[in-house]
Amino acid sequence: MKKSTLLSLTTISVLSSFALGSDLSERSRRDRIVVEALMRLEDADLGSNPKVQEAVKRYLASIQDDPSQIRVIRKLKISGMSDHLLDKAIQWGANSNSVQALDLALADEDAKSKLINQLHAKSPDERTLSLSRILSLSNRRDLLDLQSSLVESEEVNKAIRVEAALALSRNKGSHEKLIAIAKQDKLPSEAKVLVGASLRNSADASIKKAAEELFPLVKSTQSPLPPIEAMVRRTGDPQTGKGLYFGAATCSQCHMIGTEGKNVGPNLTEIGSKLSKDAMYVSILSPSAGISHNYEAFAVRTDEDEVITGLLVSDTPEGVTLRDAKGIERSIPRKNVQDFKKQEKSLMPENLQELLSEQGLIDLVEYMMTLRKI
């Protein structure tokens, strides 16, 4: 047996005794000392020592949202933490800590298989949609291969396919694959506006030429927009953005911030805590790409051939009530309903960027990123 391994086993045995017999007031301090000692070991194997495992898990629970737990879980090879890591990734939002947590969670093949099944669900829940946004930021080869399969499958939910397309557009090695998918007409239309700018700016002449032919040019009031990745790196003026939010951008006509606005679309009071900056651009430039649960648009065709579109307020044996884009609720008696179905398109207009200059769009996003949970 290697000397370092023998030393580790001896240390873990000592730590096991140290973790015993402490009352609640002392246990937290001891758990921290146990973890600090383990992190200094070259080869700590906790598999055969449940008392030390419990001490480590209590420590992880005590630090709650601290991203340093990723390093502890990875170093000490703590098993059974995949769901915990995925929950933390969602809580932290789309950032580097979340990507590390997701990558570590998906090192467990069972957790990876479970997530793949969830991503293929026709109606994924909010947790799965959030994970798809984080997944799209990973550059792991196996996960990029997964993204390719998600984009190409017409059985996969559109929001998931759009996030997968964005993932491929962020990886230069996947651009050729993305072009091939587009040529086969397997790319969701909502994704084209989002990936087009990246591919049109490719240093590869063949990719650039194909992108110019395949993807529409998205413009603000004055000029074509740069790739989302380029806009994310720029900074804007939140105060100017606030003026645009309540003015030219018309956001307040459908969304609430605090007590201001109209209660049609999702409440944006804490939107800066829920979306990363690139996801914020996606939600503005292609609102139909990821419609939130409970905000899907429905259409009713009446017996008088009138079509009413809006958010579903109620669906009962007596009738259907929809809230339209102006916030007005319309109730249609069941006997007058000829057709009733969910729509693919969001109620939110898809050309809002045409109301703003490029800098105006950046200012608007900068303001919305300030809307955070207090």
Side-chain angles (χ1 to χ4, degrees):
M1 184 179 293
K2 291 196 315 182
K3 183 177 180 180
S4 61
T5 302
L6 182 61
L7 177 62
S8 296
L9 291 173
T10 302
T11 304
I12 291 171
S13 178
V14 171
L15 292 173
S16 177
S17 299
F18 180 77
L20 289 173
S22 55
D23 58 30
L24 291 176
S25 61
E26 177 71 4
R27 179 173 288 175
S28 178
R29 186 183 73 86
R30 291 194 175 210
D31 290 343
R32 176 176 55 79
I33 293 171
V34 167
V35 171
E36 288 176 353
L38 290 170
M39 292 296 286
R40 289 183 171 88
L41 293 178
E42 181 181 336
D43 184 21
D45 182 3
L46 310 186
S48 60
N49 202 308
K51 293 183 179 64
V52 174
Q53 284 191 44
E54 287 304 313
V56 174
K57 289 183 178 180
R58 285 196 303 269
Y59 169 79
L60 292 172
S62 73
I63 63 175
Q64 298 182 352
D65 301 334
D66 189 337
S68 68
Q69 62 189 277
I70 298 172
R71 185 170 60 89
V72 174
I73 294 170
R74 180 186 292 115
K75 165 81 173 177
L76 303 184
K77 301 179 178 66
I78 309 299
S79 61
M81 300 297 290
S82 292
D83 285 342
H84 170 83
L85 286 164
L86 294 178
D87 288 341
K88 289 302 175 186
I90 293 170
Q91 187 176 334
W92 293 330
N95 57 41
S96 58
N97 289 325
S98 300
V99 174
Q100 289 182 53
L102 180 137
D103 282 349
L104 183 56
L106 298 188
D108 181 330
E109 288 299 322
D110 288 340
K112 184 178 176 182
S113 296
K114 181 180 177 182
L115 179 59
I116 290 173
N117 289 335
Q118 292 170 339
L119 291 169
H120 281 82
K122 286 196 172 183
S123 299
D125 57 21
E126 287 297 324
R127 183 177 188 274
T128 304
L129 291 172
S130 296
L131 288 174
S132 75
R133 287 190 284 269
I134 300 167
L135 186 71
S136 73
L137 300 175
S138 176
N139 60 5
R140 265 174 50 178
R141 185 70 258 169
D142 61 323
L143 297 184
L144 287 170
D145 291 341
L146 169 61
Q147 303 285 24
S148 294
S149 67
L150 291 171
V151 173
E152 293 182 271
S153 174
E154 295 183 0
E155 301 300 316
V156 172
N157 179 271
K158 179 177 59 182
I160 302 290
R161 295 176 68 201
V162 170
E163 289 295 342
L166 280 170
L168 298 181
S169 73
R170 294 184 179 113
N171 184 275
K172 292 181 180 179
S174 301
H175 286 183
E176 188 173 341
K177 176 65 174 177
L178 196 52
I179 291 291
I181 292 172
K183 286 181 176 178
Q184 296 170 34
D185 200 25
K186 292 184 177 181
L187 192 66
S189 59
E190 292 83 2
K192 294 179 181 178
V193 69
L194 302 172
V195 305
S198 293
L199 300 191
R200 285 194 302 271
N201 284 279
S202 173
D204 186 314
S206 62
I207 297 292
K208 180 181 175 67
K209 181 180 178 181
E212 289 171 348
E213 296 172 354
L214 288 166
F215 304 117
L217 193 64
V218 181
K219 294 184 178 182
S220 64
T221 54
Q222 299 173 6
S223 61
L225 291 175
I228 289 177
E229 289 81 359
M231 290 191 287
V232 165
R233 291 193 293 269
R234 291 174 57 181
T235 56
D237 178 14
Q239 282 304 114
T240 301
K242 182 177 181 178
L244 292 169
Y245 178 95
F246 289 100
T250 71
C251 308
S252 61
Q253 293 184 18
C254 291
H255 299 280
M256 296 288 293
I257 293 180
T259 59
E260 297 183 79
K262 289 186 178 179
N263 187 26
V264 179
N267 189 304
L268 302 182
T269 304
E270 298 176 353
I271 192 65
S273 298
K274 298 176 181 177
L275 295 183
S276 63
K277 189 179 279 190
D278 59 346
M280 197 81 77
Y281 279 107
V282 170
S283 68
I284 294 171
L285 295 174
S286 190
S288 295
I291 305 172
S292 298
H293 180 60
N294 292 332
Y295 289 97
E296 300 100 336
F298 287 79
V300 169
R301 183 168 61 83
T302 71
D303 54 356
E304 295 181 352
D305 212 30
E306 179 186 10
V307 178
I308 302 168
T309 304
L311 302 179
L312 183 63
V313 176
S314 68
D315 178 15
T316 69
E318 289 73 38
V320 175
T321 300
L322 300 180
R323 183 184 298 122
D324 68 18
K326 298 296 183 182
I328 299 171
E329 293 187 4
R330 302 280 302 276
S331 295
I332 307 96
R334 180 66 62 183
K335 64 181 181 180
N336 299 134
V337 175
Q338 292 296 304
D339 191 25
F340 173 50
K341 59 184 179 182
K342 187 164 66 175
Q343 303 295 289
E344 288 294 312
K345 295 291 184 181
S346 168
L347 279 183
M348 181 173 165
E350 298 202 339
N351 61 344
L352 286 182
Q353 75 278 356
E354 295 178 7
L355 304 176
L356 307 170
S357 66
E358 178 182 318
Q359 185 59 48
L361 177 60
I362 292 168
D363 292 337
L364 174 63
V365 170
E366 199 78 16
Y367 166 64
M368 294 179 73
M369 292 305 297
T370 70
L371 304 175
R372 295 181 172 273
K373 186 174 182 178
I374 299 174

